[in-house]
Amino acid sequence: MSKYTNKANVEAYLGRSLTTSESTLLDGFIEYFSQFINSYTNRIWNDIDGNDPTSSSKIYDGNGMREIRLNDSVKEITKIEILDTSGAVYLTLLPDDFIAYPLNRLVTESVALRHYIFPNRRASVKVYGKFTDGEVPADVVSVCTALVGRYIGNASTNRGFKKESIEGYSYELLTSDEQDSEVRNLVSTLDMRKKILL
């Protein structure tokens, strides 16, 4: 799981050190907001420390040709599996069996097979590797830091929340439309980072 901010950034945003309980919960907040940014932009970047995302796999439609374009940028493709109509593996291709494009780049955008063609059917190509859009941009770090900082700041001061208690049951409601608007405006700065999936 990529993390797009860290404790030092959040403390700088808040202008104070985190309490013990805030520090304990910080990693969960960072993961939550980093995953939110991934979902919002349809992208995954390396984490703030430069570490690649963990290896995973994704399935693509075959096109009946030698080369297939990937919707995602992939680093270090370890293998490609060709799947039959029931989703079972009938051919495994290792790095010597394909060429990653563009050549001489760390991140792959398409793959060409040396000796085969991809099947012409849906969900027939499974690619294994580290799916990443590269180094996390500064604006993504800033937005993630602000989201985490605002969440911690609001929770610690109860600012913008209305607390109600009914027969021993209590809950808090976010009451400030202004805060919601500020968060929407903050998140909308990531619109230029969105990847359009066709």
Side-chain angles (χ1 to χ4, degrees), residues 180-194:
D180 291 344
S181 176
E182 288 176 9
V183 169
R184 277 194 299 273
N185 289 339
L186 182 65
V187 170
S188 71
T189 63
L190 296 175
D191 286 352
M192 67 178 185
R193 296 286 180 192
K194 282 186 175 181

Side-chain angles (χ1 to χ4, degrees), residues 94-138:
L94 299 176
D96 289 343
D97 298 319
F98 57 83
I99 304 165
Y101 287 103
L103 295 172
N104 306 312
R105 297 273 306 273
L106 292 177
V107 177
T108 300
E109 296 174 1
S110 68
V111 175
L113 301 182
R114 292 182 188 275
H115 309 291
Y116 303 95
I117 61 169
F118 289 104
N120 190 17
R121 65 174 178 276
R122 296 186 182 275
S124 59
V125 180
K126 191 171 188 178
V127 177
Y128 291 80
K130 296 178 179 180
F131 293 86
T132 176
D133 286 287
E135 183 179 336
V136 61

Side-chain angles (χ1 to χ4, degrees), residues 122-172:
R122 296 186 182 275
S124 59
V125 180
K126 191 171 188 178
V127 177
Y128 291 80
K130 296 178 179 180
F131 293 86
T132 176
D133 286 287
E135 183 179 336
V136 61
D139 58 329
V140 173
V141 173
S142 296
V143 170
C144 190
T145 300
L147 290 171
V148 173
R150 289 175 63 82
Y151 186 82
I152 289 173
N154 288 339
S156 65
T157 61
N158 289 326
R159 192 178 72 208
F161 287 87
K162 177 181 176 187
K163 190 164 188 169
E164 294 185 0
S165 181
I166 302 172
E167 296 180 10
Y169 176 76
S170 66
Y171 61 95
E172 292 182 348

